[in-house]
Coordinates of all heavy atoms in Angstrom, one line a residue:
A1 N -2.4 6.7 -8.6 CA -1.0 6.4 -9.0 C -0.9 4.9 -9.2 O -1.7 4.1 -8.7 CB -0.1 6.8 -7.9
A2 N 0.1 4.5 -10.0 CA 0.5 3.2 -10.2 C 0.9 2.5 -8.9 O 1.6 3.1 -8.1 CB 1.5 3.0 -11.3
S3 N 0.5 1.3 -8.6 CA 0.8 0.6 -7.4 C 2.4 0.6 -7.2 O 2.9 0.8 -6.1 CB 0.2 -0.8 -7.3 OG 0.8 -1.6 -8.3
R4 N 3.1 0.4 -8.2 CA 4.6 0.3 -8.1 C 5.1 1.7 -7.5 O 6.1 1.7 -6.8 CB 5.3 0.0 -9.4 CG 5.2 1.0 -10.5 CD 5.9 0.5 -11.8 NE 5.6 1.5 -12.8 CZ 4.5 1.6 -13.6 NH1 3.6 0.7 -13.4 NH2 4.4 2.5 -14.5
D5 N 4.5 2.8 -8.0 CA 4.9 4.1 -7.6 C 4.5 4.4 -6.1 O 5.3 4.9 -5.3 CB 4.4 5.2 -8.5 CG 4.9 5.2 -9.8 OD1 6.0 4.6 -10.1 OD2 4.1 5.6 -10.8
V6 N 3.3 4.0 -5.7 CA 2.9 4.1 -4.4 C 3.7 3.2 -3.4 O 4.2 3.7 -2.4 CB 1.4 3.6 -4.2 CG1 1.0 3.6 -2.8 CG2 0.5 4.5 -5.0
L7 N 4.0 2.0 -3.8 CA 4.8 1.1 -2.9 C 6.2 1.6 -2.8 O 6.8 1.4 -1.8 CB 4.7 -0.3 -3.4 CG 3.3 -0.9 -3.2 CD1 3.2 -2.3 -4.0 CD2 2.9 -1.0 -1.8
K8 N 6.8 2.2 -3.9 CA 8.1 2.7 -3.8 C 8.1 3.9 -2.8 O 9.1 4.0 -2.1 CB 8.5 3.2 -5.2 CG 9.9 3.7 -5.2 CD 10.3 4.2 -6.7 CE 11.7 4.8 -6.7 NZ 12.1 5.3 -8.0
A9 N 7.1 4.8 -2.9 CA 7.1 5.9 -1.9 C 6.9 5.4 -0.5 O 7.5 6.0 0.4 CB 5.9 6.8 -2.4
V10 N 6.1 4.4 -0.3 CA 6.0 3.8 1.0 C 7.3 3.3 1.5 O 7.7 3.5 2.7 CB 4.8 2.7 1.0 CG1 4.9 1.9 2.4 CG2 3.5 3.3 0.8
F11 N 8.0 2.5 0.7 CA 9.3 2.0 1.1 C 10.3 3.1 1.5 O 10.9 3.0 2.5 CB 9.8 1.1 0.0 CG 11.1 0.5 0.4 CD1 11.3 -0.5 1.3 CD2 12.3 1.1 -0.1 CE1 12.5 -1.0 1.6 CE2 13.6 0.5 0.2 CZ 13.6 -0.5 1.1
E12 N 10.3 4.1 0.7 CA 11.2 5.3 0.9 C 10.9 5.9 2.3 O 11.8 6.2 3.0 CB 11.2 6.3 -0.2 CG 11.7 5.8 -1.5 CD 13.2 5.4 -1.4 OE1 14.0 6.0 -0.7 OE2 13.5 4.3 -2.0
R13 N 9.6 6.0 2.6 CA 9.3 6.6 3.9 C 9.4 5.7 5.1 O 9.7 6.2 6.2 CB 7.8 7.1 3.9 CG 7.6 8.3 3.0 CD 6.2 8.8 3.2 NE 6.2 10.2 2.6 CZ 5.1 10.9 2.8 NH1 4.1 10.5 3.5 NH2 5.1 12.2 2.3
M14 N 9.4 4.4 4.9 CA 9.3 3.5 6.0 C 10.6 2.7 6.1 O 10.7 1.9 7.0 CB 8.1 2.5 5.8 CG 6.8 3.2 5.8 SD 6.4 4.0 7.3 CE 6.4 2.5 8.4
R15 N 11.5 2.8 5.2 CA 12.7 1.9 5.1 C 13.4 1.9 6.4 O 13.9 0.9 6.9 CB 13.6 2.3 4.0 CG 14.4 3.5 4.2 CD 15.6 3.7 3.2 NE 15.4 3.0 2.0 CZ 16.0 3.3 0.8 NH1 16.8 4.3 0.8 NH2 15.7 2.6 -0.2
D16 N 13.5 3.0 7.2 CA 14.2 3.0 8.5 C 13.5 2.3 9.6 O 14.0 2.1 10.7 CB 14.5 4.4 8.9 CG 15.5 5.1 8.0 OD1 16.3 4.4 7.3 OD2 15.5 6.4 8.0
R17 N 12.2 2.0 9.3 CA 11.4 1.4 10.4 C 11.1 0.0 10.1 O 10.5 -0.8 10.9 CB 10.0 2.2 10.5 CG 10.1 3.6 10.9 CD 8.8 4.3 10.9 NE 8.9 5.6 11.2 CZ 7.9 6.5 11.2 NH1 6.7 6.1 11.0 NH2 8.2 7.8 11.5
L18 N 11.4 -0.5 8.9 CA 11.2 -1.9 8.6 C 12.3 -2.8 9.1 O 13.5 -2.5 9.0 CB 11.2 -2.0 7.0 CG 10.0 -1.3 6.3 CD1 10.2 -1.4 4.8 CD2 8.7 -1.9 6.7
S19 N 11.8 -3.9 9.7 CA 12.7 -4.9 10.4 C 13.2 -5.9 9.3 O 12.7 -5.9 8.2 CB 12.0 -5.6 11.5 OG 11.0 -6.4 11.0
D20 N 14.1 -6.7 9.7 CA 14.6 -7.8 8.8 C 13.5 -8.7 8.5 O 13.3 -9.2 7.4 CB 15.8 -8.6 9.5 CG 17.0 -7.8 9.6 OD1 17.2 -6.8 8.8 OD2 17.9 -8.2 10.4
Y21 N 12.6 -8.9 9.5 CA 11.4 -9.7 9.3 C 10.5 -9.1 8.2 O 10.0 -9.8 7.3 CB 10.6 -9.8 10.6 CG 9.3 -10.7 10.5 CD1 9.4 -12.1 10.5 CD2 8.1 -10.1 10.3 CE1 8.3 -12.8 10.4 CE2 6.9 -10.8 10.3 CZ 7.0 -12.2 10.3 OH 5.9 -13.0 10.2
D22 N 10.3 -7.8 8.3 CA 9.5 -7.1 7.3 C 10.1 -7.2 5.9 O 9.4 -7.3 4.8 CB 9.3 -5.6 7.6 CG 8.6 -5.3 8.9 OD1 7.7 -6.1 9.2 OD2 9.0 -4.4 9.6
L23 N 11.4 -7.2 5.8 CA 12.1 -7.2 4.5 C 12.3 -8.5 3.9 O 12.6 -8.7 2.7 CB 13.4 -6.5 4.6 CG 13.4 -5.0 5.0 CD1 14.8 -4.5 5.4 CD2 12.8 -4.2 3.9
A24 N 12.1 -9.6 4.8 CA 12.2 -10.9 4.3 C 11.2 -11.3 3.2 O 10.1 -10.9 3.3 CB 12.2 -11.9 5.5
R25 N 11.6 -12.2 2.4 CA 10.7 -12.7 1.3 C 9.7 -13.7 2.0 O 10.0 -14.4 2.8 CB 11.5 -13.3 0.2 CG 12.5 -12.4 -0.4 CD 12.4 -12.4 -1.9 NE 13.4 -11.5 -2.5 CZ 13.1 -10.3 -2.9 NH1 11.9 -9.8 -2.8 NH2 14.0 -9.5 -3.5
L26 N 8.5 -13.7 1.5 CA 7.5 -14.6 1.8 C 7.9 -16.0 1.4 O 8.4 -16.2 0.2 CB 6.1 -14.2 1.3 CG 5.5 -12.9 1.9 CD1 4.3 -12.6 1.2 CD2 5.1 -13.2 3.4
P27 N 7.5 -17.0 2.2 CA 7.8 -18.4 1.7 C 7.0 -18.7 0.4 O 7.4 -19.6 -0.4 CB 7.3 -19.3 2.8 CG 7.2 -18.4 4.0 CD 7.0 -17.0 3.5
S28 N 5.9 -18.0 0.2 CA 5.0 -18.3 -0.9 C 5.4 -17.7 -2.2 O 4.8 -17.8 -3.3 CB 3.6 -18.0 -0.6 OG 3.5 -16.5 -0.3
G29 N 6.4 -16.8 -2.2 CA 6.8 -16.1 -3.4 C 7.9 -15.1 -3.2 O 8.5 -15.0 -2.1
P30 N 8.2 -14.3 -4.2 CA 9.5 -13.5 -4.1 C 9.1 -12.1 -3.4 O 10.0 -11.3 -3.2 CB 9.8 -13.2 -5.6 CG 8.5 -13.3 -6.3 CD 7.7 -14.4 -5.5
E31 N 7.9 -11.9 -3.1 CA 7.5 -10.5 -2.5 C 7.9 -10.4 -1.1 O 7.7 -11.3 -0.3 CB 6.0 -10.4 -2.6 CG 5.5 -9.0 -2.3 CD 4.0 -8.9 -2.6 OE1 3.2 -9.7 -2.1 OE2 3.7 -8.0 -3.4
P32 N 8.5 -9.3 -0.7 CA 8.8 -9.0 0.7 C 7.6 -8.9 1.5 O 6.5 -8.5 1.0 CB 9.6 -7.7 0.7 CG 9.8 -7.3 -0.7 CD 9.0 -8.1 -1.6
R33 N 7.7 -9.3 2.8 CA 6.5 -9.3 3.7 C 5.9 -8.0 3.7 O 4.7 -7.9 3.8 CB 7.0 -9.8 5.1 CG 5.9 -10.1 6.0 CD 6.5 -10.8 7.2 NE 7.3 -12.0 7.0 CZ 6.8 -13.2 6.8 NH1 5.6 -13.4 6.8 NH2 7.6 -14.2 6.6
W34 N 6.6 -6.9 3.9 CA 6.0 -5.5 4.1 C 5.1 -5.2 2.8 O 4.1 -4.6 3.0 CB 7.1 -4.5 4.3 CG 7.8 -4.0 3.0 CD1 9.0 -4.6 2.6 CD2 7.3 -3.1 2.1 NE1 9.3 -4.0 1.4 CE2 8.3 -3.1 1.0 CE3 6.3 -2.3 2.0 CZ2 8.2 -2.3 -0.1 CZ3 6.2 -1.4 0.8 CH2 7.1 -1.4 -0.2
R35 N 5.6 -5.6 1.7 CA 4.9 -5.2 0.4 C 3.5 -6.0 0.4 O 2.5 -5.5 0.0 CB 5.8 -5.5 -0.8 CG 5.2 -5.0 -2.0 CD 6.2 -5.2 -3.2 NE 5.7 -4.8 -4.4 CZ 6.2 -3.8 -5.2 NH1 7.3 -3.2 -4.8 NH2 5.6 -3.4 -6.3
N36 N 3.6 -7.3 0.8 CA 2.4 -8.1 0.8 C 1.4 -7.5 1.8 O 0.2 -7.4 1.5 CB 2.7 -9.5 1.2 CG 1.5 -10.4 1.3 OD1 0.9 -10.5 2.3 ND2 1.2 -11.0 0.2
A37 N 1.9 -7.0 3.0 CA 1.0 -6.4 4.0 C 0.4 -5.1 3.5 O -0.8 -4.8 3.7 CB 1.8 -6.1 5.3
A38 N 1.2 -4.3 2.7 CA 0.7 -3.1 2.2 C -0.4 -3.4 1.2 O -1.4 -2.6 1.1 CB 1.8 -2.3 1.5
N39 N -0.3 -4.4 0.4 CA -1.3 -4.7 -0.6 C -2.6 -5.1 0.1 O -3.7 -4.9 -0.4 CB -0.8 -5.7 -1.6 CG 0.0 -5.2 -2.6 OD1 -0.4 -4.2 -3.3 ND2 1.2 -5.7 -2.9
W40 N -2.4 -5.9 1.2 CA -3.6 -6.3 2.0 C -4.3 -5.1 2.6 O -5.5 -4.9 2.7 CB -3.3 -7.3 3.0 CG -3.2 -8.7 2.5 CD1 -2.1 -9.5 2.3 CD2 -4.4 -9.5 2.1 NE1 -2.4 -10.6 1.7 CE2 -3.8 -10.8 1.7 CE3 -5.7 -9.4 2.1 CZ2 -4.6 -11.8 1.2 CZ3 -6.5 -10.3 1.7 CH2 -5.9 -11.6 1.2
E41 N -3.5 -4.1 3.0 CA -4.0 -2.9 3.6 C -4.8 -2.1 2.6 O -5.8 -1.4 2.9 CB -2.9 -2.0 4.3 CG -3.5 -0.8 5.1 CD -4.6 -1.2 6.1 OE1 -4.5 -2.3 6.7 OE2 -5.5 -0.4 6.2
R42 N -4.3 -2.1 1.3 CA -4.9 -1.4 0.3 C -6.4 -2.0 0.2 O -7.3 -1.3 0.0 CB -4.2 -1.6 -1.1 CG -5.0 -0.9 -2.2 CD -4.6 -1.4 -3.6 NE -5.4 -0.8 -4.6 CZ -6.7 -1.3 -5.0 NH1 -7.2 -2.3 -4.3 NH2 -7.4 -0.7 -5.9
L43 N -6.5 -3.3 0.2 CA -7.9 -3.9 0.2 C -8.8 -3.5 1.3 O -9.9 -3.1 1.1 CB -7.7 -5.4 0.2 CG -9.1 -6.2 0.2 CD1 -9.9 -5.9 -1.1 CD2 -8.8 -7.7 0.3
N44 N -8.2 -3.3 2.5 CA -8.9 -2.8 3.7 C -9.4 -1.4 3.4 O -10.5 -1.0 3.8 CB -8.1 -2.9 4.9 CG -7.8 -4.4 5.4 OD1 -8.6 -5.2 5.1 ND2 -6.7 -4.6 6.1
M45 N -8.5 -0.6 2.9 CA -8.8 0.8 2.6 C -9.9 0.9 1.5 O -10.8 1.8 1.6 CB -7.6 1.6 2.2 CG -6.7 1.8 3.4 SD -5.3 2.9 3.1 CE -4.2 1.9 2.1
V46 N -9.9 0.0 0.5 CA -11.0 0.0 -0.4 C -12.3 -0.3 0.2 O -13.3 0.3 0.1 CB -10.7 -1.0 -1.6 CG1 -11.9 -1.2 -2.4 CG2 -9.5 -0.5 -2.4
Q47 N -12.3 -1.4 1.1 CA -13.5 -1.8 1.8 C -14.0 -0.7 2.7 O -15.2 -0.6 3.0 CB -13.2 -3.1 2.6 CG -13.0 -4.2 1.6 CD -12.5 -5.5 2.3 OE1 -12.1 -5.5 3.5 NE2 -12.7 -6.6 1.7
D48 N -13.1 0.2 3.2 CA -13.5 1.3 4.1 C -13.8 2.5 3.3 O -14.2 3.5 3.9 CB -12.3 1.6 5.1 CG -12.1 0.5 6.1 OD1 -13.0 -0.4 6.4 OD2 -11.0 0.5 6.7
G49 N -13.7 2.4 2.0 CA -14.2 3.6 1.2 C -13.1 4.7 1.1 O -13.4 5.8 0.7
L50 N -11.9 4.4 1.5 CA -10.8 5.3 1.5 C -10.0 5.4 0.2 O -9.5 6.4 -0.2 CB -9.8 5.2 2.6 CG -10.5 5.1 4.0 CD1 -9.5 4.7 5.1 CD2 -11.2 6.4 4.4
L51 N -10.0 4.3 -0.5 CA -9.4 4.2 -1.9 C -10.5 3.6 -2.9 O -11.4 2.8 -2.4 CB -8.3 3.2 -1.9 CG -7.0 3.6 -1.2 CD1 -5.9 2.5 -1.3 CD2 -6.4 4.9 -1.7
R52 N -10.4 4.0 -4.1 CA -11.4 3.5 -5.1 C -11.1 2.1 -5.4 O -9.9 1.7 -5.6 CB -11.4 4.4 -6.3 CG -12.0 5.8 -6.1 CD -12.1 6.6 -7.3 NE -12.9 5.9 -8.3 CZ -13.2 6.5 -9.5 NH1 -12.8 7.7 -9.7 NH2 -13.9 5.8 -10.3
G53 N -12.1 1.3 -5.6 CA -11.9 -0.1 -5.9 C -12.3 -0.4 -7.3 O -12.1 -1.6 -7.8
D54 N -12.8 0.6 -8.1 CA -13.3 0.3 -9.4 C -12.3 0.7 -10.5 O -12.6 0.8 -11.7 CB -14.6 1.0 -9.6 CG -14.5 2.6 -9.4 OD1 -13.5 3.1 -8.9 OD2 -15.5 3.3 -9.7
Y55 N -11.0 0.9 -10.1 CA -10.0 1.3 -11.1 C -9.4 0.0 -11.6 O -9.4 -1.0 -11.0 CB -8.9 2.2 -10.4 CG -9.1 3.7 -10.7 CD1 -10.3 4.3 -10.3 CD2 -8.3 4.4 -11.5 CE1 -10.6 5.6 -10.6 CE2 -8.4 5.7 -11.8 CZ -9.6 6.3 -11.3 OH -9.8 7.6 -11.7
P56 N -8.7 0.2 -12.8 CA -7.9 -1.0 -13.3 C -6.9 -1.5 -12.3 O -6.4 -0.8 -11.5 CB -7.3 -0.5 -14.5 CG -7.9 0.7 -14.9 CD -8.5 1.3 -13.6
Q57 N -6.7 -2.8 -12.4 CA -5.7 -3.4 -11.4 C -4.4 -2.6 -11.5 O -3.9 -2.3 -12.6 CB -5.5 -4.8 -11.8 CG -4.5 -5.5 -10.8 CD -4.4 -7.0 -11.1 OE1 -5.1 -7.5 -11.9 NE2 -3.5 -7.7 -10.4
G58 N -3.7 -2.4 -10.4 CA -2.4 -1.7 -10.4 C -2.5 -0.2 -10.2 O -1.5 0.5 -10.2
I59 N -3.8 0.3 -10.1 CA -3.9 1.8 -9.9 C -4.6 2.0 -8.5 O -5.6 1.3 -8.2 CB -4.8 2.4 -11.0 CG1 -4.2 2.2 -12.4 CG2 -5.0 3.9 -10.8 CD1 -2.9 2.8 -12.6
W60 N -4.0 2.9 -7.8 CA -4.6 3.3 -6.5 C -5.0 4.8 -6.6 O -4.3 5.6 -7.0 CB -3.6 3.2 -5.4 CG -3.0 1.8 -5.2 CD1 -3.0 0.8 -5.9 CD2 -2.3 1.5 -3.9 NE1 -2.4 -0.3 -5.3 CE2 -1.9 0.1 -4.1 CE3 -2.0 2.1 -2.7 CZ2 -1.3 -0.6 -3.1 CZ3 -1.4 1.4 -1.7 CH2 -1.0 0.0 -1.9
E61 N -6.3 5.0 -6.2 CA -6.8 6.4 -6.2 C -7.6 6.6 -4.9 O -8.5 5.8 -4.5 CB -7.7 6.7 -7.3 CG -8.1 8.1 -7.3 CD -9.0 8.6 -8.5 OE1 -8.9 8.0 -9.6 OE2 -9.8 9.6 -8.3
I62 N -7.2 7.7 -4.2 CA -7.8 8.0 -3.0 C -9.3 8.6 -3.3 O -9.5 9.3 -4.3 CB -7.0 9.1 -2.1 CG1 -7.5 9.2 -0.7 CG2 -6.9 10.4 -2.8 CD1 -6.6 9.8 0.3
T63 N -10.2 8.3 -2.4 CA -11.6 8.8 -2.6 C -11.7 10.1 -1.8 O -10.8 10.6 -1.1 CB -12.6 7.8 -2.0 OG1 -12.3 7.7 -0.5 CG2 -12.5 6.5 -2.6
D64 N -12.9 10.8 -2.0 CA -13.2 12.1 -1.3 C -13.2 11.8 0.2 O -12.6 12.6 1.0 CB -14.5 12.6 -1.7 CG -14.4 13.2 -3.2 OD1 -13.3 13.5 -3.6 OD2 -15.5 13.3 -3.8
R65 N -13.7 10.6 0.6 CA -13.7 10.3 2.0 C -12.3 10.1 2.5 O -12.0 10.5 3.6 CB -14.5 9.0 2.2 CG -14.5 8.5 3.7 CD -15.5 7.3 3.8 NE -15.5 6.9 5.2 CZ -15.6 5.7 5.6 NH1 -15.9 4.8 4.7 NH2 -15.6 5.4 6.9
G66 N -11.4 9.5 1.7 CA -10.0 9.3 2.1 C -9.3 10.7 2.3 O -8.5 11.0 3.2
R67 N -9.6 11.6 1.4 CA -9.1 12.9 1.5 C -9.5 13.7 2.7 O -8.7 14.4 3.4 CB -9.4 13.8 0.2 CG -8.6 13.4 -1.0 CD -9.0 14.3 -2.2 NE -8.3 13.9 -3.4 CZ -8.8 13.0 -4.3 NH1 -10.0 12.5 -4.0 NH2 -8.1 12.6 -5.3
E68 N -10.8 13.5 3.0 CA -11.3 14.2 4.3 C -10.6 13.6 5.5 O -10.3 14.4 6.4 CB -12.8 14.0 4.4 CG -13.6 14.8 3.3 CD -13.4 16.3 3.5 OE1 -13.4 16.8 4.6 OE2 -13.2 17.0 2.4
L69 N -10.4 12.3 5.5 CA -9.7 11.7 6.7 C -8.3 12.3 6.8 O -7.8 12.5 7.9 CB -9.7 10.2 6.5 CG -9.0 9.4 7.6 CD1 -9.9 9.6 8.9 CD2 -8.9 8.0 7.3
L70 N -7.6 12.5 5.7 CA -6.3 13.0 5.7 C -6.2 14.4 6.3 O -5.2 14.8 6.9 CB -5.6 12.9 4.3 CG -5.2 11.6 3.8 CD1 -4.8 11.6 2.4 CD2 -4.1 11.0 4.7
K71 N -7.2 15.2 6.0 CA -7.3 16.6 6.4 C -7.4 16.6 8.0 O -7.0 17.6 8.7 CB -8.5 17.3 5.9 CG -8.3 17.6 4.4 CD -9.5 18.3 3.9 CE -9.4 18.6 2.4 NZ -10.7 19.2 1.9
G72 N -7.9 15.5 8.5 CA -8.1 15.3 10.0 C -9.0 16.2 10.6 O -9.1 16.7 11.6

């Protein structure tokens, strides 16, 4: 999925749990803190093999390993 769609879905699911701190913009730019953290977590999931890292920028795709983890 496109990162904007993924992050929109994350926000919809998490909006009641996000604090004012999470919603505040970063000093380094216009992005809210929670969104920056989500993008860093995407990198961690790529490194853990849960998301594909070889897709064009802005596209997130779960790997087979990620799907297996979700099945629990």
Side-chain angles (χ1 to χ4, degrees):
S3 63
R4 68 181 175 278
D5 296 334
V6 173
L7 292 170
K8 181 179 177 183
V10 168
F11 179 75
E12 292 301 320
R13 286 187 166 190
M14 298 298 297
R15 75 170 19 160
D16 294 339
R17 297 179 186 177
L18 296 173
S19 68
D20 289 342
Y21 180 81
D22 298 323
L23 296 171
R25 303 226 181 262
L26 291 171
S28 59
E31 187 172 57
R33 190 173 304 279
W34 76 267
R35 192 175 177 118
N36 181 268
N39 281 312
W40 278 106
E41 186 53 37
R42 179 200 176 276
L43 178 61
N44 292 333
M45 289 186 284
V46 168
Q47 291 172 344
D48 291 342
L50 304 175
L51 292 177
R52 289 185 59 173
D54 59 348
Y55 260 63
Q57 184 175 356
I59 302 296
W60 296 23
E61 183 177 334
I62 194 167
T63 62
D64 290 340
R65 181 174 179 208
R67 284 186 185 89
E68 288 300 315
L69 183 69
L70 286 171
K71 288 179 185 175

